[in-house]
Amino acid sequence: MEVIIKSDKLEAGKLGAKIIARLIRDKAKAVLGLATGSTPLALYKELVRMHREESLSFKNVTTFNLDEYVGLDPSHPCSFYSEMHKNLFSQLDLAKGASHLPDGMAQDLPASCAAYEAAIKVAGGIDLQLLGIGHDGHLAFNEPGSSLASRTRLKTLSQKTIKANSRFFGSEDKVPRHVVTMGLGTIMEARQCVLLAFGRDKAEAVRDMIEGPVSASCPGSVLQFHEKTIVLLDPEAAGKLKRKQYYLDVYAGKPAWQLWD
Ligand code: F6R
């Protein structure tokens, strides 16, 4: 894992957007894996800016989102479908039908999950998967205890996640209990992962993910086995890392050809 600590979440979001822009400019038909929640918002804003001001085109890009709530109509303002349309898709030149989210309204969820996995394969696999991390270490909605080899499937949210996500719904009882999420095995097949985490309240999960043992108790720790993962942090989220100074030294000493600017 490459750990990069930026001065704040805006700077980290800008760097994440540069990494994505490089991929889109280098690869004719890039496939992006996308995340929802608060964490990627600065990065999405920067991608929209690059699209408007630096002619970064998404017309050949395909996207697959990590997860969706079960039983929430896509038109619901808190569905991940709505969130993605508001914050990103409606502001880019993506082709019609190029953006995919798991179907939380499917009658036959196992078949729909298998079809989602198949669609990722048909698209050529995910080139870059964007990720956040939950306070309990979850990746996508793979809660602690999830199989490290899991595929897209139905999951039950933990109380901690229900509490954290109630800020979007107004109260805990309005948060759906079930979700459809890519599995950890699905995420691990992405050619590259970029995970962002900000704020003091993520510091423990970040420490366990990067420096703890690889364990289903911290699903994010599976990324220690990923060949190409970049973790972008602000100083608060990096606050509990034992090797913090080392990560700062590595980034400060990088040769120019390894940077994205
Ligand atoms: C969202 C997702 C989740 C979030 C995580 C952090 O698609 O997969 O794993 O990344 O819950 O959420 P925020 O960014 O709201 O702190």
Side-chain angles (χ1 to χ4, degrees):
M1 268 192 230
E2 179 177 2
V3 181
I4 301 176
I5 305 163
K6 298 297 282 183
S7 54
D8 57 40
K9 65 175 163 190
L10 283 183
E11 289 308 309
K14 279 186 190 166
L15 180 53
K18 273 186 191 155
I19 297 170
I20 291 176
R22 169 85 60 94
L23 168 73
I24 293 173
R25 290 195 163 115
D26 284 356
K27 187 164 177 180
K29 292 187 171 181
V31 180
L32 295 180
L34 299 175
T36 45
S38 316
T39 305
L41 293 179
L43 185 153
Y44 290 158
K45 234 180 171 168
E46 179 64 5
L47 284 181
V48 170
R49 190 199 63 75
M50 288 169 138
H51 169 60
R52 290 194 181 138
E53 295 173 18
E54 296 172 11
S55 51
L56 179 68
S57 175
F58 289 76
K59 67 175 191 295
N60 294 318
V61 172
T62 304
T63 70
F64 288 92
N65 262 78
L66 287 168
D67 37 23
E68 180 58 285
Y69 292 108
V70 167
L72 211 59
D73 194 85
S75 64
H76 190 288
C78 295
S79 75
F80 288 162
Y81 177 92
S82 290
E83 226 188 275
M84 289 308 299
H85 275 265
K86 182 176 77 187
N87 296 323
L88 194 67
F89 299 156
S90 62
Q91 302 183 61
L92 302 176
D93 60 343
L94 283 154
K96 206 164 178 267
S99 304
H100 308 267
L101 282 97
D103 182 1
M105 297 295 281
Q107 289 296 315
D108 183 344
L109 279 173
S112 168
C113 292
Y116 201 66
E117 291 273 340
I120 294 172
K121 285 217 163 69
V122 168
I126 291 173
D127 291 307
L128 186 151
Q129 178 65 58
L130 194 61
L131 296 161
I133 188 162
H135 299 98
D136 58 3
H138 70 232
L139 269 200
F141 275 138
N142 295 283
E143 298 285 24
S146 294
S147 156
L148 301 183
S150 50
R151 312 301 306 189
T152 303
R153 70 210 182 292
L154 176 72
K155 283 293 287 182
T156 304
L157 292 182
S158 69
Q159 277 307 320
K160 214 169 179 177
T161 304
I162 290 169
K163 190 161 191 259
N165 287 12
S166 64
R167 71 191 193 279
F168 300 114
F169 288 84
S171 73
E172 281 183 36
D173 54 304
K174 292 203 178 110
V175 182
R177 270 33 187 176
H178 293 102
V179 290
V180 180
T181 180
M182 276 189 208
L184 294 170
T186 322
I187 293 167
M188 288 295 282
E189 280 173 9
R191 290 177 195 100
Q192 178 174 13
C193 291
V194 174
L195 184 144
L196 302 121
F198 308 125
R200 201 175 301 276
D201 57 326
K202 294 284 175 78
E204 264 178 39
V206 164
R207 178 201 57 202
D208 294 350
M209 169 181 75
I210 298 172
E211 296 179 342
V214 175
S215 159
S217 294
C218 178
S221 66
V222 72
L223 292 172
Q224 291 180 36
F225 279 125
H226 194 277
E227 199 186 347
K228 207 174 168 200
T229 287
I230 297 176
V231 181
L232 298 175
L233 304 172
D234 65 3
E236 289 75 27
K240 295 204 165 159
L241 291 171
K242 257 196 326 231
R243 290 186 288 275
K244 184 173 172 186
Q245 192 52 49
Y246 176 67
Y247 307 132
L248 289 166
D249 292 346
V250 170
Y251 192 65
K254 260 181 181 290
W257 60 269
Q258 279 191 344
L259 297 170
W260 289 273
D261 297 294

